[in-house]
Amino acid sequence: MTPVPQIRPASGAAHSRIHGVGGYRPVRVIPNAEVLTWIDSSDEWIRTRSGITERRWAGPEETVAEMSVQAAGKAIAQAGIDPAQIGGVIVATVTHLKQTPAIATEIALRLGCGTAPAFDISAACAGFGYGLNLADGMIRGGSAEYVLVIGVERLSDLTDKSDRSTAFIFGDGAGAAVVGPSDTPGIGKVIWGSDASQKDVITQTEAWDTAFAKPDGVNGPSEHAEQGMRWPALRMDGQPVFRWAVWEMAKVAQQALDAAGVTADQLGAFIPHQANMRITDAMIKALKLPESVPVARDIAETGNTSAASIPLAMERMLESGEAKSGDLALIIGFGAGLVYAAAVVTLP
């Protein structure tokens, strides 16, 4: 009998790390004063509740693709590589409103990434961490030398300006990272997972087919508007989300530290998803994070940008000098699903 031939195993780099990071923030600034023209609230209430003073909302030309290309261009330049060297494009987003094709394919084409595989993932505010984990596996598995991970959102498209509980929270923007080979570990084990038992605490109000369906089968935004119906929007039950984020995510963050063999006092930065300043403060306390460790607070000027929030905050900390290249940073994202992802990374 002829022996069955063995498949040659894939092999790649021993380790991976982030080589470059970049961000894009829309031009239009929405201060709390403007939000107060939509809802019955106060600047003090918004700041106390979330820590937000302003957020950015995208204009008509600042599409998901355009913001991604701008952020990715900065990350690629910082990494010092040619776009043609990128062997994979992963876009984390919940606001690319076409089911198909993936927006990642358009972004890859516009950047000049050749025939690199390109795909979208939907993991809400944990999307960047999910993408980072996939990129790390692709590089160490040998299927790519460099992978571009983008988190991008136009959450203004799904914000109900009349909803007092969410109208002040969300912002738009894009953050990108180039992940590539490394001689030493630059991305720790990603602790990721989901808790679908709480899937309804953050959700879209209705499915697209329900929102746009008409008895005669004609669908579309214009018909939707003529019916006087609302565009689907995001809804959030704040208290359960707050409790889950504070108690459960602190445990996940500690697991990421333990998996990386790093203690909180060895960190050069803590970069949590920019969901809520009170959540960040509670996690700092739960982790017993030393005051000497800088903490990302990008939410104050950017709002909650979901998948884009971690790379945007990372870029700001590096540009301001608050964090330094080569420092170890603990990142953690969490959101609708409920999903989460945390890891210790070396800053580019």
Side-chain angles (χ1 to χ4, degrees), residues 199-215:
K199 62 183 178 62
D200 294 328
V201 298
I202 309 175
T203 186
Q204 187 173 305
T205 51
E206 55 187 327
W208 297 107
D209 58 348
T210 303
F212 291 129
K214 290 180 67 177

Side-chain angles (χ1 to χ4, degrees), residues 72-123:
K74 293 171 68 176
I76 292 168
Q78 188 183 87
I81 65 168
D82 189 279
Q85 292 177 263
I86 293 172
V89 178
I90 303 171
V91 177
T93 184
V94 297
T95 49
H96 171 50
L97 302 181
K98 284 186 178 179
Q99 188 69 33
T100 192
I103 196 62
T105 57
E106 178 184 337
I107 293 166
L109 175 66
R110 290 180 57 180
L111 288 171
C113 298
T115 59
F119 57 95
D120 298 352
I121 58 174
S122 177

Side-chain angles (χ1 to χ4, degrees), residues 299-321:
I299 189 173
E301 290 83 31
T302 310
N304 179 340
T305 56
S306 188
S309 80
I310 290 175
L312 277 173
M314 183 181 294
E315 179 199 47
R316 173 166 282 182
M317 292 189 83
L318 288 167
E319 286 186 343
S320 68

